[in-house]
Amino acid sequence: MSANINISNLKKKIKLIIFDIACINLAIVMSFFIIYEGDIPRNLSDNFFMLCLIFTLISIPIYYIFHLYNSLWKYASLDEFIKIVLACISAPIVIYLCLLLWWDFRIRIGVFFLYSFFCMLLIGGHRLSYRIFKRIRIVYNNGDKDYKRVMIVGAGEAGAIVIRELKNHPEMGLKPVAVIDDDKAKHKSKILGVPVYGGRESIQKIAKQKGIDEIIIAIPSAPKREIKEIFNECKKTTCKLKILPGVYELIDGKVTINHIRDVQIEDLLGREPVKVDLEEISQYLKGQVVLVTGGGGSIGSELCRQVARFEPKQLLILDIYENNAYMLHQELLRRYPYLDQRVLIASVRDRARMEAIFDKYRPDVVFHAAAHKHVPLMESNPTEAIKNNVFGTLNVAECAHKYGTKRFVLISTDKAVNPTNVMGATKRIAEMIIQALDAHSKTEFVAVRFGNVLGSDGSVLPIFKKQIEEGGPVTVTHPEIKRYFMTIPEAVQLVIQAGAMAKGGEIFVLDMGEPVKILDLARDLIRLSGFEPDVDIKIEFTGLRPGEKLCEELLMAEESLTATKHEKIFVCKPVFTDLDALKKELEKLKSVIMGSDEELIASIEQIVPTYRPLQKHAV
């Protein structure tokens, strides 16, 4: 297959060279004829064949140097035209110098100017005719085709590229008919033949007037907050929305039609992409043995992916569920074939197994993401929440202290603040464990506290998507319920960054922007799926679930927040360091772990004074 492609390319280059030779010689004849008015001097006419040979043998290599035989001329643009101009100027200059210095031919300077002009005309015209014939063929073949009418938001360079790409790919069935931009200087002008009608406030009006089917937001440099504001205008229409990702997502910095994708709910959080200090992160992960508990889960697996980038000495993926861990292992093998990774199937509840793992591998850094996290399920199963979130954390943390781990990072949650449910209360106890241990250990124990993660297993987003696929209804517990949200990569990058900043005992709190109404999230997701909320897809309210708050908090009353050098990470200092007192309470909790739910809840309340259970618990 590759050999066939190379032969085909070689044939195309040979055809272009043959055509250029003909153009060069025609340009020579016309130039001499015009400059000498048909009366060419004897010394030149006798050597005319030699002159044609010299012109040709010098011009063709120069054209090759300027890549005139490597471009795809059916996609030719201004860059290719500039190459033609430069090549056609350079060739006669070199020819003139060669004739003067080596062969002592005296030719009027006007010959070289005309030769350059005619070469530009003939060779450039031939190359650009590819585009002309392609456009004629598109119009002829697709004149009656039903196109979807497209509005482009953004009259900058990216918008122009999108318009050009759509015109060059008629097979997509998308026809750009309107451009929107807030720059008033661009209004009533045209970009590649497409008129700019007005600013974002006119999106709804123009969409209706021009019968727009799709809107493409093409402002890759725009802040997230601006994208959200534009979306709010776009959702007043019934158009399908697409977006050109931000510059930070375009790896090579180039825009193609393949980069245009559907708008995702993550685009509408109104928060700028997280920036991390790669050098600082690399210093504490590179060449280290890194253990990630719960490594097969949503957060754990993303932690493993991002840690792998920093060339750890060894990556340990610990999880009790083998399928997810295996799939992650295979993914990392493909992406990082030289990474030393181990998959450890184990439960953090099993102290003996944790001891064996720490004794064998001696991890330098531990990210503890293993936990039960679903609030309603843990309300019904408090015993399991305590075993996993409390005593599982205690096992891993004490092993880290015993076997000389340098840093231990606990993944916590905003639900640990003034908890009203078992899951939040057990995560608060986990925070207390690492804070108390830190005061007695060389290991730097820290926790990172954040809210809901979009797209994580069992989170609201995949549930809504499934409900929409099934035709609804989309279920929301309460019309006023709000949550803080982050994307998985955002949360994990900040977790790793917080680990780099750890001094010991801190709880890092991530800036999650403004809390988002779950009802607004549901409506936006329905619109992004091409439906109208409460018309095509119904929204039903089901009532708050056991232990569920209307709005989560990120800080307890006694905790004070301090800024760090990272604008999205804040820190609150330890408020609990009495390890002996905590261990006594944990022993009491362990003694009643197989008792009644009432005994368990009472014991948790003794450890976490801010715990206020909202509802009775079922077995």
Side-chain angles (χ1 to χ4, degrees):
M1 182 70 177
S2 178
N4 291 338
I5 292 172
N6 289 335
I7 291 170
S8 175
N9 288 338
L10 183 61
K11 287 180 178 178
K12 289 178 182 177
K13 287 182 180 181
I14 291 171
K15 287 179 182 178
L16 281 174
I17 290 171
I18 291 171
F19 184 86
D20 287 353
I21 290 172
C23 289
I24 288 167
N25 285 274
L26 180 58
I28 295 168
V29 171
M30 289 190 295
S31 301
F32 274 87
F33 187 82
I34 292 172
I35 293 298
Y36 289 100
E37 298 178 347
D39 186 17
I40 301 173
R42 181 72 177 255
N43 69 315
L44 295 180
S45 61
D46 288 348
N47 293 285
F48 198 75
F49 176 78
M50 181 61 69
L51 285 171
C52 289
L53 190 61
I54 291 170
F55 272 68
T56 302
L57 291 177
I58 293 175
S59 295
I60 293 296
I62 289 175
Y63 294 170
Y64 196 88
I65 290 169
F66 279 92
H67 303 291
L68 299 197
Y69 304 110
N70 294 333
S71 297
L72 294 172
W73 292 100
K74 64 180 178 180
Y75 300 120
S77 64
L78 182 62
D79 290 341
E80 281 72 28
F81 181 71
I82 291 171
K83 287 178 184 178
I84 292 172
V85 170
L86 292 175
C88 292
I89 291 173
S90 301
I93 292 173
V94 175
I95 294 167
Y96 174 76
L97 293 173
C98 288
L99 289 174
L100 189 65
L101 297 174
W102 279 289
W103 291 290
D104 198 31
F105 275 108
R106 300 291 174 173
I107 301 173
R108 290 182 186 176
I109 197 72
V111 169
F112 297 98
F113 282 107
L114 274 183
Y115 171 72
S116 177
F117 171 75
F118 285 131
C119 283
M120 285 183 206
L121 192 66
L122 295 169
I123 292 171
H126 172 246
R127 298 299 199 277
L128 298 178
S129 66
Y130 280 92
R131 287 291 301 272
I132 295 168
F133 288 123
K134 182 172 182 277
R135 178 65 57 208
I136 292 170
R137 189 169 65 252
I138 288 169
V139 173
Y140 178 77
N141 292 336
N142 300 286
D144 296 325
K145 184 172 180 177
D146 290 330
Y147 283 98
K148 288 184 178 178
R149 298 170 66 81
V150 178
M151 173 190 289
I152 313 295
V153 180
E157 185 178 346
I161 292 172
V162 169
I163 293 170
R164 185 183 295 114
E165 287 278 288
L166 293 180
K167 287 187 172 184
N168 286 339
H169 293 81
E171 68 277 4
M172 296 187 68
L174 299 174
K175 182 179 180 180
V177 297
V179 180
I180 294 294
D181 197 284
D182 288 338
D183 185 353
K184 293 182 179 179
K186 296 178 181 178
H187 296 175
K188 297 184 180 179
S189 62
K190 289 187 177 181
I191 298 179
L192 300 175
V194 182
V196 181
Y197 284 102
R200 72 182 70 171
E201 71 284 349
S202 59
I203 287 176
Q204 185 180 14
K205 181 181 76 173
I206 300 301
K208 187 175 181 180
Q209 286 179 358
K210 300 298 176 183
I212 301 297
D213 300 298
E214 289 194 10
I215 298 175
I216 298 176
I217 302 172
I219 321 175
S221 59
K224 289 281 188 180
R225 189 170 296 277
E226 185 176 344
I227 295 296
K228 185 176 181 180
E229 290 170 359
I230 292 171
F231 171 76
N232 288 336
E233 290 298 320
C234 292
K235 71 183 184 183
K236 296 174 184 176
T237 73
T238 57
C239 304
K240 184 173 178 58
L241 289 181
K242 291 185 181 290
I243 191 170
L244 194 66
V247 173
Y248 70 99
E249 294 179 67
L250 300 175
I251 296 171
D252 56 4
K254 296 179 181 177
V255 177
T256 71
I257 205 73
N258 296 326
H259 288 125
I260 298 172
R261 59 165 171 77
D262 289 343
V263 174
Q264 297 166 355
I265 206 74
E266 291 91 334
D267 296 312
L268 309 179
L269 290 179
R271 188 170 47 252
E272 295 310 300
V274 169
K275 296 176 183 177
V276 295
D277 186 337
L278 296 178
E279 184 177 350
E280 186 177 37
I281 288 173
S282 181
Q283 286 176 356
Y284 90 100
L285 291 179
K286 187 173 183 178
Q288 303 295 301
V289 178
V290 181
L291 168 65
V292 180
T293 69
S298 305
I299 298 295
S301 61
E302 184 63 20
L303 271 166
C304 291
R305 291 184 191 98
Q306 295 199 29
V307 167
R309 296 166 47 205
F310 297 102
E311 302 176 10
K313 178 182 178 181
Q314 191 175 53
L315 176 61
L316 308 174
I317 305 168
L318 188 149
D319 205 291
I320 195 170
Y321 183 50
E322 63 184 277
N323 289 356
N324 283 353
Y326 176 76
M327 295 304 293
L328 175 64
H329 173 66
Q330 293 300 309
E331 177 190 332
L332 293 179
L333 277 178
R334 292 190 299 271
R335 293 174 60 183
Y336 305 98
Y338 302 108
L339 173 66
D340 182 3
Q341 56 167 317
R342 299 282 190 278
V343 175
L344 308 172
I345 304 303
S347 171
V348 294
R349 302 178 181 187
D350 187 340
R351 180 58 179 255
R353 176 74 167 130
M354 291 301 104
E355 289 270 1
I357 287 171
F358 273 81
D359 187 31
K360 180 177 179 179
Y361 295 102
R362 305 284 171 144
D364 299 294
V365 181
V366 174
F367 291 101
H368 182 49
H372 285 319
K373 64 177 185 177
H374 294 293
V375 170
L377 290 181
M378 293 308 100
E379 288 301 284
S380 302
N381 301 274
T383 300
E384 300 308 304
I386 294 166
K387 287 179 183 177
N388 213 49
N389 298 358
V390 176
F391 293 107
T393 299
L394 182 64
N395 288 338
V396 180
E398 287 186 336
C399 285
H401 163 65
K402 180 177 178 180
Y403 291 97
T405 295
K406 297 173 186 173
R407 294 188 190 183
F408 182 104
V409 182
L410 167 71
I411 310 300
S412 191
T413 170
D414 55 1
K415 294 175 178 63
V417 180
N418 302 321
T420 57
N421 52 68
V422 169
M423 194 283 281
T426 56
K427 292 299 284 185
R428 175 58 194 148
I429 297 173
E431 290 180 354
M432 295 166 70
I433 289 170
I434 64 103
Q435 286 185 317
L437 265 174
D438 182 77
H440 301 270
S441 177
K442 292 182 179 179
T443 301
E444 292 172 346
F445 288 93
V446 298
V448 181
R449 188 187 286 168
F450 52 87
N452 293 39
V453 179
L454 281 173
S456 62
D457 294 336
S459 67
V460 69
L461 195 59
I463 292 173
F464 282 173
K465 286 181 177 178
K466 184 69 175 174
Q467 290 174 335
I468 291 168
E469 286 173 9
E470 294 172 351
V474 170
T475 55
V476 177
T477 57
H478 192 283
E480 296 302 319
I481 193 166
K482 294 180 180 180
R483 290 291 179 266
Y484 292 98
F485 282 103
M486 295 193 99
T487 65
I488 293 175
E490 267 187 317
V492 167
Q493 285 174 18
L494 289 175
V495 166
I496 295 175
Q497 180 72 66
M501 298 160 61
K503 301 298 180 186
E506 305 101 325
I507 293 180
F508 290 100
V509 179
L510 306 188
D511 175 10
M512 309 198 64
E514 296 299 318
V516 177
K517 260 190 173 184
I518 302 297
L519 178 58
D520 291 341
L521 193 73
R523 285 174 174 160
D524 286 346
L525 192 59
I526 291 169
R527 287 190 182 96
L528 291 178
S529 302
F531 302 106
E532 187 65 24
D534 295 316
V535 177
D536 304 309
I537 302 287
K538 297 292 184 184
I539 296 176
E540 289 184 359
F541 299 105
T542 57
L544 290 174
R545 298 173 297 179
E548 193 170 44
K549 293 181 184 178
L550 276 179
C551 191
E552 300 292 354
E553 305 158 87
L554 290 171
L555 282 176
M556 294 183 295
E558 65 270 26
E559 292 177 322
S560 59
L561 207 58
T562 306
T564 68
K565 60 184 177 181
H566 194 288
E567 60 181 2
K568 291 186 179 294
I569 301 177
F570 298 86
V571 63
C572 50
K573 287 295 182 180
V575 295
F576 186 92
T577 56
D578 192 340
L579 183 61
D580 292 335
L582 178 60
K583 282 191 171 182
K584 288 178 183 177
E585 292 297 335
L586 290 178
E587 285 299 321
K588 291 179 185 177
L589 181 61
K590 186 181 287 186
S591 68
V592 298
I593 200 165
M594 298 310 294
S596 67
D597 287 354
E598 287 74 15
E599 289 177 299
L600 283 176
I601 301 309
S603 185
I604 292 174
E605 287 178 299
Q606 285 294 314
I607 302 173
V608 185
T610 57
Y611 174 42
R612 296 289 182 270
L614 293 180
Q615 307 207 21
K616 296 288 183 182
H617 300 264
V619 178

